[in-house]
Amino acid sequence: MILAGGQANRMGGGDKGRLMLGSHSLIHRVIERITPQVDAVVLNANGDLSRFDDLGLPVVADSIPDYAGPLAGILAGMDWAAEQGHEWLISVAADTPSFPLNMVERLSASGAPVVLAATPDPERGRIPQPTFGRWQVALRHDLRAALNDGVRKIRQWTLAKGETLVMFEEADFFNINTPEDLAWAEQHLT
């Protein structure tokens, strides 16, 4: 599941995944990185879904109204995965073009129902990257109930489910939220 359902407020609106980084859009970079790691790819977006027809991917919208955040996108992905007969969902963000090429393998080494990527931080020890995870699809009913009860923060829900964090020492989970972030990525990621 590529999460592209946000409103991109800090970028001035629109689809951040369509921003160009070098000669490729962010979303094309994400598709290229995730496709070899999984059996199928689906995109989570909101609004006019036909604007992604050129990608050739199934696109699913949030079933929880009013832009409930990435957890709503993960639920949409879980529902789609259940319909396809998958037991697990991998999530990545459309605005993070350089996540690890072995991310799924490393997240899948844990049998925990919720596994999130994390990166080291000298002061805090580790920083979870909650949009990059492995989710047991059977949890979708619990997640739907939590969203309907007003839960919006990914970690509020994952901590309650006994999340496991997998450290990525050298991974780059730099996400592009502002024009300054995009300028930095142009210098360092292309």
Side-chain angles (χ1 to χ4, degrees), residues 134-154:
R134 181 175 186 257
W135 314 82
Q136 190 172 37
V137 171
L139 293 174
R140 71 187 187 282
H141 303 298
D142 184 274
L143 178 54
R144 186 180 335 278
L147 282 160
N148 286 331
D149 285 343
V151 172
R152 295 296 180 261
K153 299 286 186 187
I154 292 176

Side-chain angles (χ1 to χ4, degrees), residues 14 38 61 78 114 120 123 125 154 180 188:
V38 295
M78 286 177 160
V114 176
E123 294 176 14
I154 292 176
E180 293 79 18
H188 297 93

Side-chain angles (χ1 to χ4, degrees), residues 81-117:
E83 290 171 8
Q84 305 302 310
H86 298 293
E87 293 180 39
W88 296 94
L89 176 75
I90 298 291
S91 63
V92 298
D95 63 358
T96 307
S98 60
F99 58 88
L101 295 172
N102 67 345
M103 185 190 76
V104 173
E105 176 185 349
R106 298 222 16 236
L107 293 178
S108 298
S110 168
V114 176
V115 184
L116 301 179

Side-chain angles (χ1 to χ4, degrees), residues 13-36:
D15 292 315
K16 279 196 294 183
R18 295 295 189 167
L19 295 172
M20 297 301 290
L21 180 59
S23 60
H24 294 86
S25 69
L26 296 179
I27 200 155
H28 276 100
R29 288 173 179 263
V30 170
I31 291 167
E32 287 174 0
R33 290 185 92 78
I34 196 61
T35 298

Side-chain angles (χ1 to χ4, degrees), residues 64-89:
I64 304 294
D66 302 323
Y67 293 98
L71 264 181
I74 290 164
L75 175 60
M78 286 177 160
D79 287 340
W80 178 86
E83 290 171 8
Q84 305 302 310
H86 298 293
E87 293 180 39
W88 296 94
L89 176 75

